[in-house]
Structure formats: structure tokens, C-alpha cells
Amino acid sequence: DAANVGLERGASGFMITDWGDNGHLQPLSVSLPPLAFVAAQAWCRATNQALELAPLVDHFLFGDAASELGAALEALGSLYARTGLLTPNGSPLQSALGAGGRLGSFGEASEAGVGEVLATLDDAERAIARARPASADGPLVQRELAQAIRLARHGAWRIARDAGFARPGDAELRRDLQEALEEQRACWLLRSRPGGLDESVARLEATLAGY
């Protein structure tokens, strides 16, 4: 829609941003497919308006001979809408990781929806493990996505915890989040400078202290 309006109004360029609200927990590999999609729209809207993104992500971004990463990323990208909760300009899975509960989320959690989220995360995790990316950062992409899945799963478990649905006990949740915190630090430093890291993980540390 933005590309269409820009063309109608004579725009000379297209800008897309990758915001880091609430600690910028998302790795670069999560953002690459939407960046590529928007680049295609900006370059030639008429040709790319019905673009099938997953195979192009596999071929051009990651060189995935197993053709797993593109579809897995598309599946993961839709999970924000399936918990029954709404978070303006964000995901309930991410906001649930913040200390104090579902910051910024509203509505009523769906037990079936949370179950579907968890099942999709499991499927995507297996698909990413099967992937065979030939890109220079291929192993890092797989590691980043495994970590993103782990954080999303923990967010789904916290939604279930707040709603009284079946989920792991607090001792297991504490262990999982502690391990996820350590991996989040490691993954961050593989791509980024340390500035902002302590502030980012402080949100997760506050959640950890609540178990």
C-alpha cells in the first residue's frame, strides 16, 4: 500500500526502519525478509506486488539448499496475531517477556491459540535445524533464529501462566529464561557492539527475578 501511494504521489524514494523498542530483542535475521520484500516493492512494484517471498529468501538471502528458512520465517512472522491478545505496534509474545506481565497487551488469551503458537514454534525450530544455508552468516542465522524461537516460546509460556493454561512450572521457566539470557548476550555480541546490551537484557533479568 505504501508503495502504491508513493507512486501515485510521485515519491522519489522509500524508507523502511527496523525499530528496537523494548530492548531490541529481534536479531538481524528476523528483519531480513521484510527488508528484502520492501526493496522489491520499491524497485519494481508492478513486477513484485504478488511476490512469493519464501523461495526468494531461501535463494537470494541465505542460499538455503534445503529451502527451509524462508517458509519458517514466514510462519514465525504471523504468530503475533494468534494468541488472542493484541499489542499495538508489537507482539504479545515479546511484551509477555517484560517484567510485570503482558506490558501493552490487551484482550483475552486463547488456550487454543497459544497451543497453535507453541506447535508452530516447534515446527519452525525443526525446519531451521534442517536448513542448509550457504551464505557466509548461515550458521549464525540458524543460531539467531533458534534463540528468537526460544524467547518467543517463553513468552507464550508466560501468557499461558498468566491465563492459567497448562505450562511448565516456575522452576523450569526460571531455568529456561536463565539459559535464554546467556544465549541472548552471546548472539547479540556476534553481530553488534555491546552498547545497549545491558539495558536490553535488564528487562529479561527483571522477569527472571519474578520466578
Side-chain angles (χ1 to χ4, degrees), residues 1-84:
D1 181 64
N4 287 337
V5 172
L7 287 170
E8 291 168 2
R9 299 300 179 91
S12 60
F14 201 119
M15 182 176 73
I16 181 170
T17 58
D18 185 17
W19 290 98
D21 294 351
N22 300 313
H24 205 298
L25 297 178
Q26 75 271 21
L28 177 64
S29 52
V30 167
S31 301
L32 288 176
L35 289 171
F37 180 79
V38 172
Q41 305 310 307
W43 175 65
C44 188
R45 172 63 174 160
T47 301
N48 294 314
Q49 58 185 331
L51 187 70
E52 188 177 354
L53 186 60
L56 299 180
V57 166
D58 287 329
H59 182 72
F60 290 107
L61 292 182
F62 303 126
D64 181 13
S67 300
E68 295 279 6
L69 289 175
L73 277 162
E74 281 199 324
L76 292 170
S78 68
L79 294 184
Y80 75 94
R82 293 166 62 183
T83 65

Side-chain angles (χ1 to χ4, degrees), residues 41-203:
Q41 305 310 307
W43 175 65
C44 188
R45 172 63 174 160
T47 301
N48 294 314
Q49 58 185 331
L51 187 70
E52 188 177 354
L53 186 60
L56 299 180
V57 166
D58 287 329
H59 182 72
F60 290 107
L61 292 182
F62 303 126
D64 181 13
S67 300
E68 295 279 6
L69 289 175
L73 277 162
E74 281 199 324
L76 292 170
S78 68
L79 294 184
Y80 75 94
R82 293 166 62 183
T83 65
L85 299 171
L86 297 173
T87 301
N89 198 31
S91 166
L93 298 170
Q94 189 275 337
S95 63
L97 292 169
R102 300 188 301 270
L103 299 176
S105 295
F106 59 91
E108 184 175 349
S110 162
E111 187 166 13
V114 173
E116 290 174 5
V117 166
L118 290 168
T120 301
L121 289 170
D122 288 345
D123 289 343
E125 188 172 47
R126 288 189 288 268
I128 289 163
R130 292 192 301 265
R132 290 184 285 133
S135 58
D137 64 346
L140 176 54
V141 166
Q142 289 175 289
R143 182 174 177 178
E144 286 178 335
L145 293 178
Q147 169 64 3
I149 287 171
R150 184 168 199 170
L151 288 177
R153 181 183 291 117
H154 197 92
W157 281 339
R158 284 184 60 80
I159 291 172
R161 178 180 184 261
D162 288 350
F165 305 154
R167 44 85 185 182
D170 279 8
E172 184 176 347
L173 289 175
R174 178 177 177 79
R175 176 193 57 77
D176 180 71
L177 187 55
Q178 180 64 62
E179 294 175 0
L181 261 164
E182 295 170 3
E183 179 67 359
Q184 184 67 13
R185 283 186 172 275
C187 286
W188 177 297
L189 292 172
L190 288 171
R191 282 220 200 251
S192 303
R193 290 175 289 185
L197 175 56
D198 288 343
E199 292 83 356
S200 176
V201 299
R203 300 167 183 271

